[in-house]
């Protein structure tokens, strides 16, 4: 069972690495017939039979995942209906979540009133307050008629970045968009009795109950997350604290919480059942308690949103309950294998989630260090052994997935696990019942104590280890080293495991050679951010847009990408001008990475400059060289004070050159600044690659400027279906007429460039890291 489940998981994982979905023959389920091969007494035949069964498991996993993916991918929005008004009716499929201007929610489409259009069955919608009329009051389970504008799911594509398109596919969100405020939007009188919608209504009522009871209490969102799994209620700063202290697994519905609740109901039922002789004669107390405990786990799992850690625990408890009812013993490894198989059958995309690997890996480690060991230790020693196993055993996946480790995690978990699991969670769950709402105040006080202790740990020096993304082979060595180090006492040379862990820390990405630059034009949506790395230095030009709330391109894209590439500090940060799509991620970058100096055209009193160690205005004539790479500022002459909210012509223009090869970064300059550059720096303008001025706006890229730069490549940094319609068709065609190879971040993802004296090499991240779900943006399509 264990080896079959692992091989099935390997097949599922391998399918998710494919760039194109394979065409499956209709008879692929017949591969399961290999499982019926008869056994034999001959050792060679038994070995061959076992090998065939394991191959069958891989084949079935691959084929099953492909079949599910084909079914889901077939439900698509036609290209021609992107951005068009569509009237439809359906049901709000989940409790709406607030964003800075309205609500966001999944919507189950029941019918489409607009003729001759197909809309996917499940879509994600957003509302925006203030667009027109009053805000819509939307709740889970309600029937609505909306006029919507939709588009295909499309996310950014960057090294070490989050894959929004995979996330949307896993949740069966086959289109995204917004409710058109001026359309026909009204709540319908229809009601639904579907269990899924009723559960979502219950979750929303619990969230409302918490908000009304606790008001603006600082940690109310954490209690909501612990009760109903609404992780969006936890702020970005709180998640950062939990990650830095290694307790983030406790602040959502974890397997520990579900097991604790099931055990509580098991013990209570067992005690009460044994009080009645009649009940004991009718049905054994242990079996009755197992059923009640399983029902409690099922209820908690459903109300928590049915996330992977909760699924894994539920399926393991279900296996335990079934074996108990059948009066059979089952090994812990068999329960975990059964849970693995059921999770992947329910969700083949689970293998793409960090929670999948951490959840199953953590439980496997617990079994590894506790099962089949001789003798029984004191419970405190067992607890310490498990904490040690978690600390060592999760190093490889944490470095592979997040490039960071909490060094204070053992201490934090030592008090956070009992405090959260045995105090905060029970009080929170009891507080969901109206007669016991006063318990929410006790739960909040306990959570406040936990947060205070965690903050003290986070303030310690070296509380968090951050580094580059380790090579794949070093992760495999690290897993082997962790298992070796955690082997039972008496296993030979256990200390050798430490040696196998070292490559993950010591093998760093090779830096560029002398007189070579590695440049990344990030895909940040509608905005700009460019990283330049030489052999011993690194510069960031602009930091992309601010997204929503505490999310910006700095903490969501730039910092993870830079760390993964081995850039742990910046020698310089250049902010071209004061536009939010160019400086929106600056605060996050300055907080996460040491920055030697900041150069910009911002006003001296700008609040971002107060966060920098050293600031110098960018101005024409500045020149420096790093490792054989020349950096030269061509504009502005002197940063000028301006009353304009956005003064694009004050953008810092940076030329990066190695010999005769160069790259030109021009921010959002418009035709006036382009004319100045033509007058004063005509000889410095010809470039191998140009990042298009102002994202390809019609106000820039004049005929004279483009003709003089005469780039081999031009990069348009624009958001998918952006409302500005960048790049403008005339500008797009202007570069085409000159024979320039055109790249754009919405269609090509991040552009990775290797620049040296002989030329440059260009890599399109979206193309080279394509998966079968990767959206191909049509370059001729204009904004939604």
């Amino acid at each position: 069972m264990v080896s079959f489940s692992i091989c099935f998981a390997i097949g599922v994982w391998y399918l998710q690495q494919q760039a194109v979905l394979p065409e499956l023959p209709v008879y692929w389920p017949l591969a399961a017939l290999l499982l019926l091969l008869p056994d034999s007494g001959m050792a060679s035949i038994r070995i061959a039979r076992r090998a065939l069964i394991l191959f069958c498991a891989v084949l079935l996993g691959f084929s099953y995942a492909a079949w599910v993916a084909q079914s889901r991918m077939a439900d698509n929005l036609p290209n021609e209906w992107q951005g068009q008004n569509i009237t439809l009716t359906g049901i709000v499929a989940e409790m709406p979540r607030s964003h800075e201007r309205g609500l966001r929610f999944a919507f189950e489409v029941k019918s489409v009133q607009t003729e001759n259009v197909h809309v996917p069955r499940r879509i994600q919608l957003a509302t925006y307050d203030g667009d027109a009329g009053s805000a819509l009051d939307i709740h889970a389970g309600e029937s609505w008629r909306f006029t919507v504008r939709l588009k295909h799911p499309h996310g950014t594509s960057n090294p070490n970045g989050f894959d929004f398109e995979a996330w949307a596919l896993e949740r069966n969100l086959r289109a995204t968009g917004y409710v058109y405020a001026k359309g026909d939007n009204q709540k319908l009188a229809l009601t639904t009795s579907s269990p899924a919608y009723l559960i979502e209504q219950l979750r929303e009522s619990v969230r409302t109950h918490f908000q009304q009871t606790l008001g603006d209490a600082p940690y109310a969102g954490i209690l909501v997350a612990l009760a109903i799994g609404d992780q969006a209620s936890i702020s970005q700063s709180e998640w950062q604290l939990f990650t830095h202290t290694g307790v983030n697994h406790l602040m959502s519905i974890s397997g520990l919480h579900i097991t604790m609740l099931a055990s509580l109901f098991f013990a209570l039922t067992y005690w009460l059942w044994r009080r009645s002789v009649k009940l004991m004669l009718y049905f054994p107390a242990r079996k009755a308690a197992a059923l009640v405990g399983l029902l409690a786990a099922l209820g908690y799992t459903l109300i928590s949103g049915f996330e992977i850690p909760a699924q894994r625990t539920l399926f393991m408890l279900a296996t335990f309950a079934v074996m108990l009812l059948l009066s059979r013993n089952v090994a812990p490894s068999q329960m975990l294998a059964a849970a693995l198989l059921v999770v992947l059958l329910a969700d083949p995309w689970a293998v793409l989630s960090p929670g999948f690997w951490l959840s199953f890996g953590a439980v496997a480690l617990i079994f590894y260090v506790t099962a089949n060991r001789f003798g029984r230790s004191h419970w405190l020693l067992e607890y310490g052994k498990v904490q040690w196993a978690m600390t060592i055993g999760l190093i490889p996946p944490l470095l592979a997935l997040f490039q960071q480790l909490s060094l204070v995690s053992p201490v934090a978990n030592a008090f956070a696990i009992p405090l959260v699991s045995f105090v905060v969670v029970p009080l929170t769950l009891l507080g969901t019942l109206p007669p016991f709402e006063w318990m929410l105040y006790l739960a909040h006080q306990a959570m406040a104590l936990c947060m205070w202790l965690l903050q003290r740990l986070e303030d310690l020096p070296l509380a968090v280890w951050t580094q580059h993304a380790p090579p794949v082979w070093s992760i495999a060595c690290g897993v082997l080293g962790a298992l070796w180090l955690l082997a039972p006492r008496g296993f030979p040379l256990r200390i050798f495991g430490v040696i196998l862990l070292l490559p993950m820390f010591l093998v760093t990405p090779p830096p560029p050679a002398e007189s070579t630059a590695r440049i990344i034009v990030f895909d940040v949506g509608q905005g700009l951010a460019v990283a330049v790395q030489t052999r011993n230095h690194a510069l960031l030009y602009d930091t992309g847009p601010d997204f929503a709330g505490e999310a910006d391109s700095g903490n969501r894209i730039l910092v993870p990408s830079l760390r993964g590439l081995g850039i742990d500090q910046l020698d310089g940060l250049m902010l071209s001008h004061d536009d939010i799509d160019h400086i929106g991620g600056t605060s996050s970058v300055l907080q996460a990475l040491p920055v030697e100096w900041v150069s910009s055209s911002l006003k001296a009193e700008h609040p971002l400059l107060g966060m920098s160690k050293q600031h110098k205005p960018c101005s024409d004539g500045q020149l420096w060289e790093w490792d054989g790479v020349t950096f030269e500022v061509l504009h502005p002459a002197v940063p000028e004070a301006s009353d304009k909210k956005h003064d694009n012509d004050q953008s810092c223009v940076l030329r990066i050159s190695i010999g005769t090869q160069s790259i030109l970064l021009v921010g959002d300059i418009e035709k006036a600044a382009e004319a100045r550059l033509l007058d004063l720096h005509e000889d410095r303008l010809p470039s191998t690659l140009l990042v298009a001025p102002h994202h390809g706006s019609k106000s820039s890229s004049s005929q004279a400027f483009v003709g003089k730069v005469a780039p081999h490549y031009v990069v348009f940094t624009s958001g998918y279906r952006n409302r500005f319609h960048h790049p403008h068709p005339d500008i797009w065609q202007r570069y085409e007429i000159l024979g320039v190879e055109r790249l754009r971040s919405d269609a090509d993802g991040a552009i990775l460039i290797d620049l040296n004296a002989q030329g440059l090499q260009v890599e399109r991240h979206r193309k080279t890291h394509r998966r079968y779900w990767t959206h191909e943006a049509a370059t001729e399509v204009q904004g939604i």
Side-chain angles (χ1 to χ4, degrees), residues 375-432:
R376 294 189 64 181
S377 305
H378 189 274
W379 68 268
L380 193 58
L381 291 177
E382 289 292 324
Y383 180 71
K385 183 191 296 185
V386 169
Q387 286 303 307
W388 170 249
M390 294 295 101
T391 302
I392 299 300
L394 293 182
I395 288 176
L398 287 173
L399 288 181
L401 296 169
F402 306 114
Q403 295 85 55
Q404 67 178 27
L405 295 171
S406 171
L407 301 183
V408 297
S409 173
V411 178
N413 279 282
F415 67 79
I417 287 177
L419 184 56
V420 173
S421 297
F422 300 110
V423 178
V424 177
V425 170
L427 290 174
T428 299
L429 293 178
L430 286 172
T432 60

Side-chain angles (χ1 to χ4, degrees), residues 508-577:
T508 60
E514 189 74 16
S515 299
T516 300
R518 185 177 298 147
I519 301 166
I520 303 176
V521 183
F522 288 101
D523 177 13
V524 293
Q526 185 68 20
L528 178 64
V530 182
V532 184
Q533 182 185 18
T534 66
R535 185 166 185 80
N536 299 301
H537 298 85
L539 169 80
L540 183 63
Y541 180 95
D542 282 347
T543 60
D546 184 15
F547 294 139
E550 297 178 307
D552 57 55
S553 52
N555 53 38
R556 293 297 175 89
I557 297 175
L558 302 182
V559 171
S561 292
L562 292 173
R563 281 179 174 164
L565 296 168
I567 299 175
D568 56 5
Q569 64 179 20
L570 294 172
D571 296 279
L573 170 62
M574 181 169 286
L575 305 174
S576 63
H577 65 299

Side-chain angles (χ1 to χ4, degrees), residues 753-771:
I753 305 159
D754 285 328
L755 177 68
N756 55 45
Q758 286 70 47
L760 58 79
Q761 293 181 333
V762 172
E763 175 187 333
R764 300 163 172 84
H765 189 270
R766 183 174 284 272
K767 308 296 184 183
T768 57
H769 294 77
R770 175 178 169 75
R771 296 292 182 265

Side-chain angles (χ1 to χ4, degrees), residues 697-774:
S697 167
K698 193 176 183 180
S699 62
S700 305
S701 294
S702 64
Q703 187 74 51
F705 180 77
V706 173
K708 192 61 188 178
V709 176
H712 299 165
Y713 299 90
V714 61
V715 180
F716 297 93
T717 56
S718 54
Y720 178 62
R721 299 189 64 82
N722 64 87
R723 62 191 178 94
F724 306 103
H725 304 287
H726 292 158
H728 192 278
D730 292 348
I731 302 303
W732 180 258
Q733 187 178 24
R734 181 168 295 165
Y735 286 98
E736 180 184 25
I737 292 172
L738 293 177
V740 180
E741 184 168 348
R742 299 161 298 172
L743 311 170
R744 48 189 296 171
S745 58
D746 58 347
D748 299 310
I751 308 299
L752 286 71
I753 305 159
D754 285 328
L755 177 68
N756 55 45
Q758 286 70 47
L760 58 79
Q761 293 181 333
V762 172
E763 175 187 333
R764 300 163 172 84
H765 189 270
R766 183 174 284 272
K767 308 296 184 183
T768 57
H769 294 77
R770 175 178 169 75
R771 296 292 182 265
Y772 66 83
W773 59 79
T774 301

Side-chain angles (χ1 to χ4, degrees), residues 498-708:
V498 175
I499 299 176
L500 292 176
L501 287 169
L502 291 179
M504 293 188 298
F505 299 92
L506 301 180
V507 179
T508 60
E514 189 74 16
S515 299
T516 300
R518 185 177 298 147
I519 301 166
I520 303 176
V521 183
F522 288 101
D523 177 13
V524 293
Q526 185 68 20
L528 178 64
V530 182
V532 184
Q533 182 185 18
T534 66
R535 185 166 185 80
N536 299 301
H537 298 85
L539 169 80
L540 183 63
Y541 180 95
D542 282 347
T543 60
D546 184 15
F547 294 139
E550 297 178 307
D552 57 55
S553 52
N555 53 38
R556 293 297 175 89
I557 297 175
L558 302 182
V559 171
S561 292
L562 292 173
R563 281 179 174 164
L565 296 168
I567 299 175
D568 56 5
Q569 64 179 20
L570 294 172
D571 296 279
L573 170 62
M574 181 169 286
L575 305 174
S576 63
H577 65 299
D578 190 9
D579 265 4
I580 196 63
D581 60 329
H582 290 253
I583 63 171
T586 303
S587 178
S588 294
V589 170
L590 291 174
Q591 291 174 16
L593 299 175
V595 179
E596 188 64 29
W597 52 259
V598 174
S599 177
S600 75
S601 62
L602 306 183
K603 296 179 181 179
E605 63 272 16
H606 198 287
L608 286 177
L609 301 183
M611 301 175 62
S612 63
K613 183 191 302 184
Q614 176 188 356
H615 174 253
K616 50 186 178 183
C618 66
S619 61
D620 188 356
Q622 293 173 342
L623 179 72
W624 70 94
E625 183 176 308
W626 285 341
D627 310 313
V629 181
T630 302
F631 296 79
E632 183 179 2
V633 178
L634 304 180
H635 184 80
V638 176
E640 300 175 2
S642 174
D643 294 331
K644 296 181 181 179
K645 187 176 181 180
H646 304 294
D647 196 347
N648 293 331
D649 274 332
Q650 285 295 301
S651 296
C652 306
V653 174
L654 180 65
R655 183 177 188 267
I656 305 166
S657 60
I658 304 173
T660 59
Q661 307 296 322
S662 63
I663 290 177
L664 196 60
L665 308 178
V666 296
D668 277 356
I669 63 168
E670 299 184 346
K671 292 177 181 178
E674 291 176 355
R676 178 188 178 276
L677 289 169
L678 288 168
D679 288 341
L680 300 180
H681 297 292
E682 185 178 9
D683 60 327
R684 313 302 295 159
L685 291 183
S687 300
T688 316
L689 183 144
L690 169 69
V691 177
H694 202 182
H695 320 288
S697 167
K698 193 176 183 180
S699 62
S700 305
S701 294
S702 64
Q703 187 74 51
F705 180 77
V706 173
K708 192 61 188 178

